[in-house]
Amino acid sequence: MGFFELQKRAKAQWLALEERTHIKIGTATCGRAAGALEVLQAFEEELFKRNLNVPIVQVGCIGLCYAEPLVIISKPQSYRILYPNVTPELVPRLVDGYIEGEDPCLELALGTLEIDERGFPSIPELPRFEYECRLILRNCGFIDPTNIYHYIANGGYSSLAKALNMEATEIIQEVLRSGLRGRGGAGFPTGIKWEHCYKAPGSVKYVICNADEGDPGAFMDRVILESDPQQVIEGMVIAGYTIGAQEGYIYIRAEYPLAIERVKKALKEAEEIGILGKNILESNFNFFISIIQGAGAFVSGEATALVEAMEGKRSEPRVRPPRLSEKGLWGSPTLLNNVKTFSYIPIIINKGSQEFASIGTEKSKGTAVFTLAGKVNYPGLTEVPMGTTLRRLVYDIAGGMKGGKKFKAVQIGGPSGGCIPESLLDIPIDYDSLQHAGSMMGSGGMIFMDEEDCAVDTARFFLDFTTKESCGKCTMCRLGTLQLLNLLEEICSGKAKIEDLDLLRDLAEDVKVGSLCGLGRSAPNPVLTTVRYFEEEYRAHILEKRCPALVCKDLIAFYILPEKCDRACEHCILVCPTKAIKGEKGEMKVIDQEKCSKCGTCLEVCPHEYQAVVKLSPLDKLPSGETKG
Amino acid sequence: MKQQEEDLSRLSSIFETYGNERKGLIPILLEIQKEFGYLPKEALKKVATFLNLKPIEVWGVATFYNQFRLTPLGKTHIKVCMGTACHLAGGRLVLEALERELHLKVGETSEDGQFSLERVACIGCCMLAPVIVIKDEIYPKMSPFKVEESMLPYRQESESFIEKRRKD
Ligand SMILES: Cc1cc2nc3c(=O)[nH]c(=O)nc-3n(C[C@H](O)[C@H](O)[C@H](O)COP(=O)(O)O)c2cc1C
Ligand code: FES
């Protein structure tokens, strides 16, 4: 079938849906964890009971993770309304109200998707949407990821149709002019990579999509694959056509079963309608894509290590040169890009490089996708123009810090990135400014920390991760990171000397230069940035044996304030897993510091009106007479 | 727990699907693990023969990747997220509480084969941190206090299992 015919069919199908009252439920992994499948079932049962024929469309993730499970109810002559945190119990009310009746249940709604002249807060007017610029997230949460016609109806595959009528060199010029840089972390100019692969001699070439997403705090690639997989496929097919490849692979980490399932389905659909396979869209171009499941190793995300894994070996990075674009998978020229990088391609081809390049900063064009997690009010996923400030992200998009606490730092880019303190909140974020601040874009995962998070412990956490994940090829990475971890553990437990701080810095620099791949070269970033921006905190741990954030276990104690303990209440005694709390009924409760495992359960259950349990640091703050744990 | 005898005849159909090229190694291992729940040593030897590799090469790959397990899982497998968001939200305390509750160290399977405990990195639900996964179901916003409660149904299952075994 030609593209025109497909488009007609898709538009008719989409219109038929839009003309009816229908329900959209976000059932990506995050929605499911919050109970979306139960809500889906409740809707199905309720509609069945009432004999209503209302289509339910399962969509991906809109990025407002704090509001999951999220339901959109659309009525043709009325507003599309977004309902947050829907539970099965709310379902009959919604069906009564807005599906059968005309009551939009505003008290349950987050907003409408249209501007409302009655002054009801409409979604596009929420600050978050005002500052966002959704290019590759535009369809996420609005289309059915398992229905290729939804994608086509919303502009999908028109770029491929256009590209198939362009010369390869023209496409490369467009990508070059767009200024697109790889979204896998390092920010290598995509156009240059494509040109290398195009020019590399050889009749067999490969395209690989890196969906390994190894940063233990980032999930945008998962969201894209679960919510709009066709755009990634479209980008890959265009890449294949451009460089002259016939085979493509998507390497997905095994921890993402739903993403794998949805991509599988998407590939099958694309094959069925002639967008993958032989004679794509009636051209003479052939392209096939298969899925390769990762086996779980952070280093596999590194381009050359990924190729090793695909060849069935231990995933150890190769020495470059040769680059993958000359000698990649099974020795052939290989183009490897990240999920997001491929997703931008259809947009650039469709709208033209100029429009893309008009967004962003001088050296970083387009938008950036960030996952927002940690101590903010509205965690989730966002897409903003490059150059947006951190302040805007924290306060306007993520809704500020939870509980009104003070912003302390944000960790960007996971184990390869660094901690950025409050004093840098106003820097415009792009590849270069982050590098300058000692961090890097990396995955784009952002974890916000408040005063209750310890900078030293965070560095220790990341080093613990990288030591476990180092493939062991380079000595500096294998043993250097271990030494760094040991030093950090000594600091966290109050056993370090002040000279260790210099040792930590020196060693971190050595690990950086002594490692072959980005894992070892960036592993010290969390250490170096926390030492640079939070040296005081390190000193408190070392010199005063005090953890200012009250996190490091060896330096804190739990204590029950005698003047606040209610005496009659026994909550803490009942829950203490180590039976460390003593005190008869009606008596004061006391924690036996020898037995206390510092799990914090007593603090969690102590009724809010008493707040008798507190954390103390350093240990000598404990009143004398208490045993010091 | 001790390795049981596994019925390795199921291997041949896996081998057939993938063919004997080296690139099939990891998919074959994943498939074997799906079948048995772990990688039995004998199976690894058979894979080596099939792919014409030295056993040590297969062993090297099997021990490199986090997904692969060389011991069987418990009936109730519990994964504790130790990603960044979960760590900051107290994931370690949750892990310790589970270790205490189940008398298991992370990475172990209980004697009776009922429980196993594993740490994983981010499962992509950071806004619900800290999370644990019990038998593929995600438990959001955990705390040490909630651990005992979440284990209750599985404990009962385990106790009835012990009962039954006693009767047999
Ligand atoms: C330790 C390590 C882990 C990496 N993990 C990923 C990853 O999970 N996903 C990814 O796209 N790139 C990852 N990269 C970057 C890749 O090496 C590569 O630069 C990127 O995938 C290229 O795609 P791009 O040009 O589209 O950015 C990682 C790099 C290193 C050093
Ligand atoms: S850090 Fe635990 S789900 Fe992401």
Side-chain angles (χ1 to χ4, degrees):
Chain A
M1 208 184 310
F3 181 65
F4 187 64
E5 194 54 38
L6 282 176
Q7 210 174 24
K8 228 167 71 185
R9 209 184 264 198
K11 287 205 166 135
Q13 209 191 90
W14 181 257
L15 207 69
L17 178 69
E18 291 285 296
E19 279 170 354
R20 297 177 63 179
T21 297
H22 64 277
I23 304 166
K24 284 181 178 156
I25 303 181
T27 57
T29 301
C30 35
R32 290 179 182 209
L37 292 182
E38 287 78 14
V39 173
L40 172 70
Q41 198 190 348
F43 266 110
E44 279 168 352
E45 284 170 8
E46 197 64 31
L47 295 174
F48 181 75
K49 236 177 13 203
R50 300 178 191 221
N51 210 359
L52 289 173
N53 183 8
V54 175
I56 303 178
V57 183
Q58 290 192 48
V59 295
C61 168
I62 207 172
L64 309 174
C65 299
Y66 64 97
E68 299 280 5
L70 212 91
V71 171
I72 303 175
I73 300 182
S74 310
K75 286 188 116 171
Q77 307 305 337
S78 186
Y79 302 106
R80 289 185 291 168
I81 300 184
L82 206 57
Y83 299 97
N85 306 111
V86 178
T87 58
E89 292 73 48
L90 288 179
V91 167
R93 167 96 181 84
L94 290 175
V95 175
D96 262 343
Y98 201 43
I99 290 181
E100 290 215 279
E102 290 303 324
D103 165 20
C105 305
L106 289 187
E107 71 285 4
L108 298 176
L110 191 66
T112 69
L113 287 165
E114 283 81 19
I115 306 291
D116 179 20
E117 62 284 358
R118 287 176 304 185
F120 182 70
S122 80
I123 298 300
E125 285 176 339
L126 289 181
R128 184 189 191 112
F129 285 85
E130 191 173 321
Y131 301 116
E132 280 190 339
C133 171
R134 292 191 171 216
L135 298 179
I136 57 177
L137 296 185
R138 70 191 181 286
N139 286 331
C140 296
F142 294 105
I143 65 168
D144 177 355
T146 61
N147 185 341
I148 193 169
Y149 288 115
H150 277 199
Y151 178 66
I152 297 177
N154 286 282
Y157 285 111
S158 55
S159 296
L160 175 62
K162 185 170 167 189
L164 290 174
N165 288 313
M166 287 164 77
E167 293 293 329
T169 46
E170 261 181 280
I171 299 175
I172 292 171
Q173 280 310 313
E174 274 298 278
V175 179
L176 276 172
R177 273 196 298 261
S178 73
L180 176 65
R181 293 170 70 175
R183 296 305 197 249
F188 190 81
T190 307
I192 296 182
K193 206 186 248 183
W194 285 35
E195 194 168 31
H196 282 159
C197 288
Y198 169 73
K199 288 190 174 152
S203 55
V204 178
K205 296 182 184 179
Y206 298 103
V207 174
I208 300 176
C209 173
N210 188 346
D212 196 45
E213 192 151 75
D215 167 7
F219 48 88
M220 56 284 267
D221 292 356
R222 169 181 71 68
V223 167
I224 291 174
L225 294 174
E226 286 177 359
S227 311
D228 191 11
Q230 295 293 353
Q231 65 175 341
V232 184
I233 298 174
E234 183 172 7
M236 288 179 74
V237 182
I238 296 175
Y241 171 77
T242 309
I243 67 159
Q246 298 213 354
E247 264 178 75
Y249 295 93
I250 307 183
Y251 187 94
I252 312 183
R253 69 196 294 239
E255 288 87 339
Y256 288 172
L258 186 66
I260 294 177
E261 188 189 311
R262 290 199 171 163
V263 173
K264 237 181 224 164
K265 211 155 176 192
L267 290 173
K268 192 159 161 272
E269 279 194 294
E271 269 165 38
E272 277 165 9
I273 64 169
I275 275 175
L276 275 177
K278 288 208 160 135
N279 302 105
I280 290 176
L281 293 178
E282 297 177 333
S283 70
N284 50 19
F285 173 58
N286 309 329
F287 196 70
F288 302 84
I289 300 181
S290 353
I291 295 178
I292 304 281
Q293 196 179 323
F298 175 60
V299 71
S300 296
E302 198 276 340
T304 57
L306 188 149
V307 167
E308 290 283 300
M310 284 184 59
E311 293 180 356
K313 301 186 208 143
R314 288 163 70 96
S315 193
E316 291 176 4
R318 296 177 181 172
V319 181
R320 284 184 274 196
R323 291 176 209 227
L324 291 183
S325 51
E326 300 154 52
K327 210 160 172 280
L329 188 61
W330 300 305
S332 297
T334 301
L335 172 70
L336 186 140
N337 278 128
N338 170 264
V339 170
K340 284 154 279 165
T341 314
F342 281 122
S343 302
Y344 282 110
I345 297 297
I347 295 168
I348 291 169
I349 300 296
N350 223 343
K351 297 202 169 161
S353 53
Q354 280 221 312
E355 190 169 329
F356 182 83
S358 68
I359 306 168
T361 61
E362 195 197 331
K363 288 196 179 142
S364 305
K365 299 296 184 194
T367 56
V369 178
F370 295 112
T371 49
L372 316 167
K375 309 282 176 68
V376 283
N377 281 321
Y378 303 145
L381 190 67
T382 189
E383 183 173 3
V384 291
M386 287 275 183
T388 302
T389 63
L390 267 173
R391 189 179 296 284
R392 177 125 294 158
L393 278 166
V394 183
Y395 292 101
D396 296 322
I397 293 178
M401 301 303 286
K402 217 179 245 169
K405 296 230 170 71
K406 202 163 149 354
F407 172 91
K408 176 172 177 175
V410 54
Q411 169 79 24
I412 305 180
S416 320
C419 255
I420 309 261
E422 200 195 356
S423 58
L424 297 181
L425 269 180
D426 288 308
I427 58 165
I429 329 170
D430 64 14
Y431 289 101
D432 309 294
S433 65
L434 284 181
Q435 197 122 35
H436 192 71
S439 179
M440 66 186 258
M441 191 72 90
S443 57
M446 290 195 176
I447 312 268
F448 296 97
M449 299 189 262
D450 64 18
E451 42 210 342
E452 290 176 5
D453 295 312
C454 172
V456 189
D457 179 67
T458 307
R460 188 199 58 74
F461 164 78
F462 282 118
L463 260 293
D464 183 48
F465 179 84
T466 32
T467 353
K468 289 199 172 75
E469 293 294 339
S470 167
C471 75
K473 187 164 176 161
C474 312
T475 317
M476 259 334 228
C477 177
R478 182 179 70 242
L479 297 176
T481 54
L482 196 61
Q483 287 307 321
L484 284 176
L485 176 64
N486 287 345
L487 279 171
L488 288 166
E489 275 173 350
E490 303 236 302
I491 298 175
C492 286
S493 56
K495 295 192 196 110
K497 302 181 291 291
I498 194 70
E499 304 87 78
D500 290 344
L501 211 48
D502 286 327
L503 186 58
L504 191 70
R505 269 192 209 107
D506 292 346
L507 188 56
E509 292 294 348
D510 292 344
V511 171
K512 262 185 138 165
V513 289
S515 305
L516 175 65
C517 87
L519 191 148
R521 271 194 249 156
S522 61
N525 284 346
V527 183
L528 287 169
T529 49
T530 47
V531 178
R532 178 161 148 199
Y533 300 121
F534 299 97
E535 188 172 336
E536 277 312 305
E537 213 168 318
Y538 275 85
R539 290 176 159 270
H541 281 75
I542 299 172
L543 298 174
E544 304 166 45
K545 317 245 171 284
R546 176 171 70 90
C547 174
L550 302 171
V551 170
C552 294
K553 262 190 160 180
D554 291 331
L555 305 184
I556 62 164
F558 286 81
Y559 177 64
I560 300 176
L561 296 167
E563 67 276 17
K564 290 208 170 170
C565 176
D566 175 68
R567 280 150 225 249
C569 150
E570 298 207 304
H571 280 53
C572 54
I573 295 202
L574 293 175
V575 299
C576 176
T578 56
K579 309 257 172 295
I581 307 180
K582 288 176 297 205
E584 295 297 315
K585 227 190 171 85
E587 277 180 23
M588 249 248 329
K589 311 293 177 287
V590 182
I591 299 175
D592 179 346
Q593 299 293 333
E594 299 280 344
K595 280 193 185 166
C596 175
S597 69
K598 303 184 185 176
C599 69
T601 310
C602 49
L603 196 152
E604 190 186 335
V605 299
C606 183
H608 198 70
E609 59 271 33
Y610 309 142
Q611 293 186 7
V613 185
V614 291
K615 288 196 261 184
L616 302 173
S617 179
L619 296 183
D620 42 14
K621 271 208 187 153
L622 277 173
S624 50
E626 299 271 336
T627 37
K628 301 197 173 149
Chain B
M1 81 184 269
K2 80 175 184 37
Q3 296 239 343
Q4 64 244 44
E5 293 277 323
E6 300 284 1
D7 171 17
L8 296 181
S9 62
R10 289 178 280 176
L11 286 181
S12 48
S13 68
I14 297 178
F15 288 166
E16 252 166 53
T17 353
Y18 290 98
N20 66 347
E21 282 179 80
R22 164 128 205 183
K23 68 171 178 183
L25 176 56
I26 292 171
I28 288 176
L29 294 182
L30 284 168
E31 203 65 38
I32 294 177
Q33 179 152 301
K34 211 155 123 203
E35 187 73 36
F36 297 95
Y38 74 111
L39 299 175
K41 259 196 197 137
E42 287 308 310
L44 292 180
K45 285 187 196 152
K46 290 225 153 59
V47 174
T49 318
F50 175 68
L51 293 179
N52 226 341
L53 295 171
K54 293 196 203 85
I56 185 72
E57 286 182 83
V58 176
W59 184 254
V61 168
T63 50
F64 185 88
Y65 296 95
N66 301 331
Q67 282 283 312
F68 296 131
R69 269 176 242 106
L70 301 163
T71 48
L73 286 184
K75 243 180 89 187
T76 304
H77 181 55
I78 302 161
K79 294 186 235 177
V80 185
C81 180
M82 282 292 175
T84 318
C86 289
H87 170 76
L88 288 178
R92 188 147 62 141
L93 297 176
V94 174
L95 178 65
E96 284 169 6
L98 275 161
E99 288 183 332
R100 225 177 4 240
E101 180 76 17
L102 299 170
H103 300 287
L104 274 185
K105 285 264 161 280
V106 63
E108 290 180 349
T109 303
S110 63
E111 280 290 319
D112 64 356
Q114 274 301 315
F115 294 103
S116 50
L117 194 57
E118 184 188 13
R119 56 179 284 168
V120 293
C122 191
I123 51 166
C125 302
C126 307
M127 58 287 161
L128 303 170
V131 296
I132 66 174
V133 184
I134 307 180
K135 283 188 161 175
D136 289 329
E137 196 183 324
I138 297 172
Y139 286 67
K141 305 205 173 155
M142 290 298 293
S143 70
F145 178 50
K146 286 191 193 157
V147 160
E148 200 186 322
E149 193 185 292
S150 69
M151 288 318 300
L152 229 52
Y154 303 100
R155 277 219 162 270
Q156 274 160 0
E157 207 172 282
S158 163
E159 252 126 42
S160 62
F161 182 75
I162 295 168
E163 281 265 308
K164 214 167 83 204
R165 215 170 33 178
R166 237 184 253 132
K167 276 190 214 138
D168 285 346

